[in-house]
Amino acid sequence: MAVQAAENDGITVEDDHLNDSLGNPGLISPDKEDLSRLLTVPFSGRIRGGMRPGKKIIVMGIVDLEPDSFDVSLTCGRDSDKEEPPLDVALKLTARFTDRQFLRSARVSGKWTVEEASTVYFPFIPDQPFRIEIHCEHQRFRIFVDGHQLFDFYHKVKSLPSIDTVRIQGDLQITKLG
């Protein structure tokens, strides 16, 4: 099964066709209908067992041709449509193309933290593929894009196992999750 995290317990997307393209470079999957049905944006998927140190989440995708922004969030609580009370958000990554910012924030007990914005460079290019890795450590998340470490985000939500959902929305296509 292609959708796996470091210890085989990543995001739940039941599908066996995701690896069919291994012998066919350049194609994400010959079974396009299935893939687009599973990985449509906005996307919400369960992180089996929640987060813990040593676990990583991988999001691979392609930025839209004329993007405004997209975001990837790790949240607590699976009731996706209920916004009352607002879910805790352990990490929200927002790629904003208008001013080329890659922002981080969290929401704890209904209140958003101050956005952190410093980054060495803006790693996303319209119409180009990317790979985001979120590594969970004891004190922080460490974020990599295309293999380059960009920044750390210290845990605001302290209960790592309660971080059980990945949400993705905005101007991108998801090609693979792990």
Side-chain angles (χ1 to χ4, degrees), residues 76 85-90 106-113 156-157:
C76 307
L87 301 171
D88 279 355
V89 177
R107 182 170 62 195
V108 184
S109 306
K111 293 188 171 56
W112 284 100
T113 60
K156 315 292 191 269
V157 172

Side-chain angles (χ1 to χ4, degrees), residues 1-153:
M1 187 133 168
V3 181
Q4 296 169 333
E7 292 90 30
N8 245 4
D9 57 355
I11 299 151
T12 308
V13 175
E14 273 76 24
D15 184 29
D16 300 304
H17 314 301
L18 294 182
N19 251 350
D20 290 353
S21 62
L22 287 181
N24 195 347
L27 276 181
I28 292 142
S29 165
D31 200 345
K32 283 282 197 296
E33 291 74 26
D34 258 0
L35 194 65
S36 60
R37 179 174 54 76
L38 285 164
L39 300 178
T40 51
V41 178
F43 173 87
S44 177
R46 181 166 65 95
I47 301 168
R48 280 202 296 274
M51 292 302 285
R52 66 173 180 279
K55 196 162 183 174
K56 67 181 175 183
I57 300 291
I58 298 171
V59 178
M60 295 172 67
I62 301 170
V63 179
D64 285 355
L65 189 55
E66 296 182 355
D68 287 322
S69 68
F70 66 82
D71 55 62
V72 176
S73 302
L74 302 183
T75 67
C76 307
R78 294 283 302 145
D79 288 337
S80 48
D81 298 328
K82 292 198 189 93
E83 280 297 309
E84 291 298 322
L87 301 171
D88 279 355
V89 177
L91 173 66
K92 181 178 182 179
L93 298 173
T94 302
R96 208 167 58 199
F97 287 82
T98 46
D99 52 359
R100 298 174 60 79
Q101 294 278 358
F102 194 21
L103 308 165
R104 294 80 75 189
S105 59
R107 182 170 62 195
V108 184
S109 306
K111 293 188 171 56
W112 284 100
T113 60
V114 175
E115 278 186 328
E116 299 174 22
S118 62
T119 166
V120 188
Y121 65 99
F122 185 73
F124 303 106
I125 301 168
D127 204 30
Q128 292 298 309
F130 65 85
R131 174 189 177 106
I132 298 173
E133 291 186 31
I134 303 170
H135 294 230
C136 184
E137 299 182 356
H138 286 280
Q139 302 293 323
R140 64 193 169 198
F141 292 112
R142 183 156 269 188
I143 288 83
F144 296 78
V145 177
D146 298 330
H148 300 281
Q149 183 189 331
L150 282 193
F151 44 74
D152 293 342
F153 186 80

